[in-house]
Amino acid sequence: MPGDAGCDRRWWESPASGKDMLVVACTVIPFGMLGYYGAEHVVSRQIAAGVYPYWPHLSVDDHIPFVAHFVWPYIAYYPLLLLSLLVGLRSRLELFRVGYAFVVVTLAAWVTFVLWPSKMEQANLDGCWSLSCAMVERIYDLDPGYNIFPSLHAAHALMVWLFFMAVGSKMRWWVGGLSASIIASTVLIKQHYLIDVPVGLLYGAGAAYVARETAWPLLERLSAWRTWLPIARDTQAT
């Protein structure tokens, strides 16, 4: 590290502020959306140009029913992502790990989406007039079934639960139940094939592990490169 600048672990182990959480949210969410829809654009153009998409369909998928009411757990995925910021109440370091893990799993998924373009055959909603079916139709309009392998819904849901487990939060089992219902919803509303889910879980578990093991060494390295970052502290002064 340059001079006496070091990484102040005490600062990072103090609880994150609302501003800290806002910074992470305003960084990670646009990053994820830009990458996801950017990859979708690339994949749709590849398929339109004649690249045959990967259809990870298994015979067991034909026996999984379409359950429109599971659209509500599917939608609950979005507030679950914001809920992960509460891990920062334990420490800024845990909040950094959350953002770091999301970046890692998103980058890994982008590479997979582009190298193995995939497409989902979504359910036929003719004759289904319920509010749940209307919501499913809206999801199909917004996300027409590209980028299915791996399932980022599954990856992110597992990651969030692992974050809460790691800090011993009292909410961890409630979050676990919500995460499980989100994971199940991906196949029950025909937004993913079954094989997309375990692959997504592997991506999510891998990203959480990388963030757990390498976040602090990364912060120390960043403090050596950028002494103006909040991670750079004069250890001699403390």
Side-chain angles (χ1 to χ4, degrees):
M1 297 181 187
D4 292 328
C7 220
D8 187 350
R9 184 115 190 182
R10 288 177 298 177
W11 186 85
W12 280 97
E13 289 183 346
S14 62
S17 65
K19 181 180 179 180
D20 296 328
M21 296 180 191
L22 183 62
V23 168
V24 170
C26 291
T27 302
V28 174
I29 293 175
F31 175 80
M33 292 181 64
L34 179 65
Y36 183 85
Y37 288 106
E40 180 179 286
H41 177 71
V42 171
V43 169
S44 63
R45 288 177 65 89
Q46 287 177 318
I47 293 175
V51 175
Y52 190 76
Y54 174 48
W55 301 82
H57 177 272
L58 301 174
S59 58
V60 67
D61 288 298
D62 297 330
H63 302 284
I64 298 176
F66 170 72
V67 185
H69 295 313
F70 264 85
V71 70
W72 304 109
Y74 189 87
I75 294 171
Y77 159 84
Y78 300 100
L80 180 72
L81 298 185
L82 294 177
L83 192 66
S84 67
L85 297 173
L86 295 181
V87 171
L89 295 175
R90 175 58 57 88
S91 70
R92 290 184 174 95
L93 179 57
E94 293 298 335
L95 179 63
F96 178 79
R97 285 179 172 135
V98 169
Y100 182 23
F102 274 108
V103 170
V104 168
V105 77
T106 300
L107 288 173
W110 291 353
V111 173
T112 309
F113 293 154
V114 173
L115 292 181
W116 290 280
S118 53
K119 185 75 170 65
M120 174 72 191
E121 184 177 353
Q122 296 169 321
N124 185 339
L125 299 177
D126 291 346
C128 186
W129 307 107
S130 68
L131 177 60
S132 295
C133 283
M135 291 303 300
V136 172
E137 184 176 20
R138 180 59 176 161
I139 288 172
Y140 286 179
D141 290 339
L142 293 172
D143 188 356
Y146 299 107
N147 299 346
I148 62 169
F149 183 87
S151 167
L152 279 179
H153 263 63
H156 291 160
L158 177 63
M159 277 170 40
V160 172
W161 179 62
L162 291 175
F163 297 150
F164 277 87
M165 289 293 290
V167 300
S169 170
K170 294 180 180 179
M171 298 174 60
R172 63 188 183 276
W173 297 116
W174 180 85
V175 170
L178 178 58
S179 296
S181 67
I182 290 170
I183 292 168
S185 74
T186 62
V187 294
L188 290 174
I189 68 165
K190 301 300 179 179
Q191 193 67 351
H192 281 279
Y193 292 116
L194 183 61
I195 193 61
D196 304 333
V197 173
V199 176
L201 296 177
L202 286 174
Y203 275 56
Y209 176 80
V210 169
R212 177 66 45 189
E213 295 298 317
T214 68
W216 184 249
L218 176 62
L219 288 171
E220 290 185 310
R221 186 174 295 275
L222 287 174
S223 72
W225 292 342
R226 294 285 187 267
T227 57
W228 48 267
L229 287 174
I231 58 176
R233 292 289 186 269
D234 186 344
T235 55
Q236 297 298 317
T238 57

